[in-house]
Amino acid sequence: MITSLTNEKIKEYTKLNQSKYREERGLFIVEGPHLVEEARLAGVLVEVVTTDSKVEGILVNEAVMKKISNTVHPVKVLGICKRMDKSEVKSHILVLDRISDPTNLGTLLRSAVAFGFETVFLSEGCVDPYNDKVIRGSQGAIFKVNIIKGDLLQFLSKIKKTHQILGTNVRIGENVSSVKIKPKLAIILGNEAKGMREEANQFTDNNLYIKMLNTESLNVSVAGSILMYEISKKC
């Protein structure tokens, strides 16, 4: 059992709570038996750390687990996983422009899986998808989507010839229920405060809005989930 907070392995795992170190090492942490099992099924689980002697893995005491864990009440098991960065682009793409809230990103990843959006593109300025709050919010969906990161405008330029690009500029938008959907498509969701950047409009084939009563706007994760659902009904 590891009981020292200064153990080299424990010090390394604790650093994985920093985005920069996760990027350098190509590793991230998941917490709780459900997410550890999802990581195992996805083939990305590298090591298990646990306070439960009945669980196979590196046995630590509660103080060590608390040091590594990001939760208020540390879990009994967590997993060290290898990152899953890929470059493959599939038929349905969720494009996220500078989404900054980890809870929103986690929810959008979960909805993307639910409604058949196999690829999620993250622009520069998006929150790290391997942030602990994103992972918890995704409820394991992060293991079931193809995540790509890069320059937004370059990516839109690249897929313009192969995919219908749907923006979310409400000023020039059409009701999602009236738009004809093609087999290959990408939908762009913008920053929580600023929305989709203006420069993206040059690549969009249509812009969508959701008809609403008694309110002017929705949280981006709610709006994105509704749009993906509506689009999935047409595919």
Side-chain angles (χ1 to χ4, degrees):
M1 175 186 286
I2 297 176
T3 59
S4 172
L5 299 180
T6 59
N7 178 278
E8 288 303 315
K9 187 179 285 288
I10 301 307
K11 287 165 64 177
E12 178 183 359
Y13 290 166
T14 302
K15 287 181 182 178
L16 292 176
N17 291 314
Q18 304 170 25
S19 177
K20 182 180 179 180
Y21 195 74
R22 288 194 293 269
E23 188 78 31
E24 290 175 357
R25 298 286 290 122
L27 299 171
F28 66 99
I29 296 173
V30 298
E31 301 191 40
H34 168 67
L35 289 174
V36 169
E37 183 58 24
E38 289 286 347
R40 192 191 308 278
L41 292 173
V44 298
L45 185 65
V46 175
E47 200 155 52
V48 173
V49 180
T50 180
T51 57
D52 187 347
S53 59
K54 297 178 182 178
V55 175
E56 185 178 349
I58 297 173
L59 189 63
V60 301
N61 64 10
E62 291 185 2
V64 170
M65 183 63 84
K66 185 176 181 180
K67 184 175 178 64
I68 303 173
S69 174
N70 267 304
T71 57
V72 176
H73 303 290
V75 294
K76 292 185 177 181
V77 59
L78 59 78
I80 309 301
C81 307
K82 56 186 177 183
R83 292 170 64 103
M84 304 169 291
D85 297 335
K86 300 176 182 178
S87 59
E88 183 182 5
V89 176
K90 296 192 177 181
S91 60
H92 286 190
I93 309 168
L94 177 63
V95 177
L96 301 179
D97 180 16
R98 301 167 298 168
I99 298 298
S100 61
D101 186 291
T103 302
N104 283 337
L105 180 52
T107 299
L108 286 167
L109 292 175
R110 193 174 181 182
S111 294
V113 170
F115 301 123
F117 282 72
E118 314 101 318
T119 298
V120 176
F121 176 85
L122 305 180
S123 79
E124 65 282 15
C126 276
V127 64
D128 181 4
Y130 300 105
N131 174 295
D132 63 293
K133 291 181 180 179
V134 175
I135 293 170
R136 287 201 299 273
S138 81
Q139 284 293 301
I142 194 167
F143 300 114
K144 299 172 183 177
V145 291
N146 176 33
I147 297 175
I148 302 172
K149 296 191 291 183
D151 180 279
L152 175 68
L153 302 184
Q154 287 182 7
F155 181 73
L156 294 177
S157 177
K158 178 182 176 181
I159 65 170
K160 177 67 176 174
K161 293 180 180 180
T162 57
H163 288 69
Q164 176 187 21
I165 299 179
L166 305 170
T168 47
N169 186 332
V170 295
R171 291 186 289 104
I172 57 175
E174 308 168 66
N175 191 320
V176 60
S177 63
S178 66
V179 174
K180 185 175 181 179
I181 300 299
K182 295 181 180 179
K184 288 189 173 184
L185 63 93
I187 181 170
I188 308 169
L189 299 176
N191 174 265
E192 291 88 344
K194 300 177 180 178
M196 185 185 83
R197 71 184 77 177
E198 286 292 331
E199 296 90 335
N201 284 320
Q202 63 185 297
F203 300 104
T204 59
D205 298 297
N206 306 87
N207 273 277
L208 309 178
Y209 76 87
I210 301 167
K211 186 177 180 180
M212 294 178 286
L213 301 175
N214 305 317
T215 187
E216 293 183 356
S217 63
L218 295 170
N219 173 282
V220 66
S221 62
V222 174
S225 298
I226 292 171
L227 289 172
M228 285 188 280
Y229 167 69
E230 289 292 340
I231 290 168
S232 73
K233 292 195 298 183
K234 298 185 174 190
C235 296

